[in-house]
Every structure is written in structure tokens, then in C-alpha cells.
Amino acid sequence: ISMRCVISVLGKDRSGIVAAISGVLAEKGANIADISQTILDDIFSMTMLVKLDTAIADFNEVQEALIKAGEDLGVQVIIQREEVFQAMYTI
């Protein structure tokens, strides 16, 4: 069973952010469908659309691993189910 999610990463720019976050996703069996990243001055921002394979790792397991990686990197990582994300931003 797969589930689509939106991941947002925000924080001070430093090397290794993309590698660490994508490494966690690979380890948990997730597939990155799309990715956008920008650096404004010294602020790193990345949004990813990912497909989780819930037979390998469920939403909570992936969320915990991403939050831990974000803490190690000093960045904020938020993962939301796509339907929750869509509902939040639909007028």
C-alpha cells in the first residue's frame, strides 16, 4: 500500500541536508516523486512529494526518522499526508 506525502524542510543552509533527508527516505522504502529546493540568502527551503511504501515503513515511522534527522541537521522537517496538505491549502 502506498501513500503520498508532502515533506517540507526549512532551516539555515549547510551541506548534507538533501543527502540526509533523501537517505532517510531511501532507508524507509520511500520514493521521491518530485523535489524543489531553494536557498534565499542563508535560508534553505525544500519541498518534496514522496510516495511511502507502508508495507516497509508506516507514516509514523518515517515521520520519527525525519524529525530525528532534522534535529541532527538543525533544520525543521514536516511531513504531511497529501490529503491533509491539500485540505489545509484549499479555499
Side-chain angles (χ1 to χ4, degrees):
I1 303 166
S2 68
M3 170 192 301
R4 286 168 48 110
C5 297
V6 177
I7 298 171
S8 305
V9 182
L10 184 65
K12 185 170 170 28
D13 186 35
R14 58 170 288 191
S15 63
I17 298 172
V18 176
I21 300 300
S22 58
V24 167
L25 293 171
E27 182 183 294
K28 300 297 180 186
N31 183 48
I32 300 169
D34 204 355
I35 182 172
S36 169
Q37 134 190 354
T38 57
I39 299 167
L40 302 172
D41 200 4
D42 203 23
I43 300 167
F44 176 89
S45 173
M46 177 170 66
T47 305
M48 304 170 108
L49 181 61
V50 302
K51 195 178 287 188
L52 303 186
D53 182 341
T54 54
I56 298 172
D58 67 15
F59 179 87
N60 291 338
E61 189 179 339
V62 174
Q63 182 179 41
E64 287 173 17
L66 287 171
I67 289 170
K68 168 86 172 71
E71 288 170 355
D72 293 345
L73 292 162
V75 297
Q76 177 189 53
V77 183
I78 298 170
I79 180 171
Q80 296 172 291
R81 292 170 177 83
E82 184 183 35
E83 62 271 15
V84 173
F85 179 87
Q86 296 289 3
M88 283 178 58
Y89 297 100
T90 301
I91 299 173

